[in-house]
Amino acid sequence: CSGAVLMVVDNPECAGRIIRDTMGSVGELIATAVEREHAGERVQDARRAAFQAATQLEQQRSELQTIIDAIPAFIYYKDDKNKIINLNAHAAAAIGLPVNEICGRYAEEFFPAEDAAAYLADDLEVIRGKKPKLGIIEQHMANGSERRYIHTDKIPIPGPDGADNHLVAIATDITELKIANEELDAMAGRLAIATEGAGVGVWDLIAETGEMT
């Protein structure tokens, strides 16, 4: 195309099109340096926005973990296969390992098989029923040696894909309370036997009415 004069257009809508020059010959539109610079800026802006979004998401995740770690209860986020997706520091301390060494592993790896099976049975009841189950009394072996009694509330929640196959379990150790109640029951039983053997009657006085029951 000797002698031809190419038209250079600073217009992104024309980039890559075939046009004719002033002599009627066919010439290829050449992208200008300005357009290439603009394209580079758009790429940088997209990368910057993605980095900022990822940073904000990580900050929110860290703040949420800090909050659940501060709660004085055992908190587990699990799926319907008994996998521990996440947990708080209090629950991890009861197991005896750091949080990051527990996440993604199964309850059977940390609890006796019988206990883990019982947890899963309750979990599946909650997940399949799609309703919270509150006031569950469970047992678990703390640090592999001491059996503790746990009061647990389980709430079903959707998983990352929206399927109903995850739950949150919030548990509180009630071992001392349960032992105290058992001791009170035993004491009441002994008192009843003693009074019956001695032929002594026991009555309650209702202060408001003065009646004996």
Side-chain angles (χ1 to χ4, degrees):
C1 56
S2 177
V5 178
L6 295 179
M7 297 175 61
V8 180
V9 181
D10 184 12
N11 187 340
E13 295 182 355
C14 298
R17 295 183 183 175
I18 302 301
I19 64 171
R20 293 183 180 276
D21 62 18
T22 56
M23 302 297 293
S25 301
V26 176
E28 183 177 356
L29 179 64
I30 303 173
T32 66
V34 173
E35 175 56 27
R36 288 195 297 272
E37 182 180 351
H38 289 171
E41 290 175 353
R42 288 195 293 272
V43 171
Q44 290 298 323
D45 288 344
R47 289 176 177 173
R48 190 177 301 110
F51 176 78
Q52 290 175 346
T55 300
Q56 184 177 14
L57 183 62
E58 175 59 24
Q59 181 179 357
Q60 291 174 346
R61 188 205 66 77
S62 178
E63 289 174 351
L64 178 59
Q65 187 67 42
T66 299
I67 291 171
I68 67 171
D69 283 344
I71 297 174
F74 309 119
I75 301 178
Y76 299 91
Y77 174 45
K78 301 172 64 182
D79 69 7
D80 58 354
K81 301 295 189 298
N82 228 10
K83 180 188 290 185
I84 301 171
I85 308 300
N86 197 10
L87 72 168
N88 70 343
H90 195 60
I95 292 175
L97 290 171
V99 169
N100 63 348
E101 292 186 21
I102 300 172
C103 293
R105 297 169 66 181
Y106 293 88
E108 292 85 350
E109 300 181 54
F110 309 107
F111 302 101
E114 183 179 352
D115 290 352
Y119 301 156
L120 179 59
D122 267 333
D123 291 352
L124 293 177
E125 181 182 342
V126 171
I127 290 172
R128 292 168 180 171
K130 300 181 181 180
K131 293 182 179 180
K133 186 175 181 181
L134 310 178
I136 306 167
I137 305 300
E138 299 176 316
Q139 298 183 48
H140 85 103
M141 197 74 74
N143 297 319
S145 59
E146 183 184 5
R147 183 163 291 277
R148 310 288 295 180
Y149 291 92
I150 305 297
H151 176 283
T152 306
D153 297 330
K154 295 185 177 182
I155 302 96
I157 60 174
D161 60 355
D164 296 318
N165 55 9
H166 286 63
L167 63 74
V168 170
I170 304 173
T172 305
D173 191 324
I174 60 167
T175 304
E176 283 72 21
L177 178 61
K178 185 172 179 59
I179 291 173
N181 286 336
E182 289 174 350
E183 291 177 349
L184 286 174
D185 289 342
M187 186 181 299
R190 290 194 298 270
L191 178 61
I193 293 173
T195 54
E196 183 178 353
V200 177
V202 178
W203 295 269
D204 292 326
L205 173 65
I206 302 176
E208 291 80 1
T209 63
E211 296 179 357
M212 303 288 290
T213 62

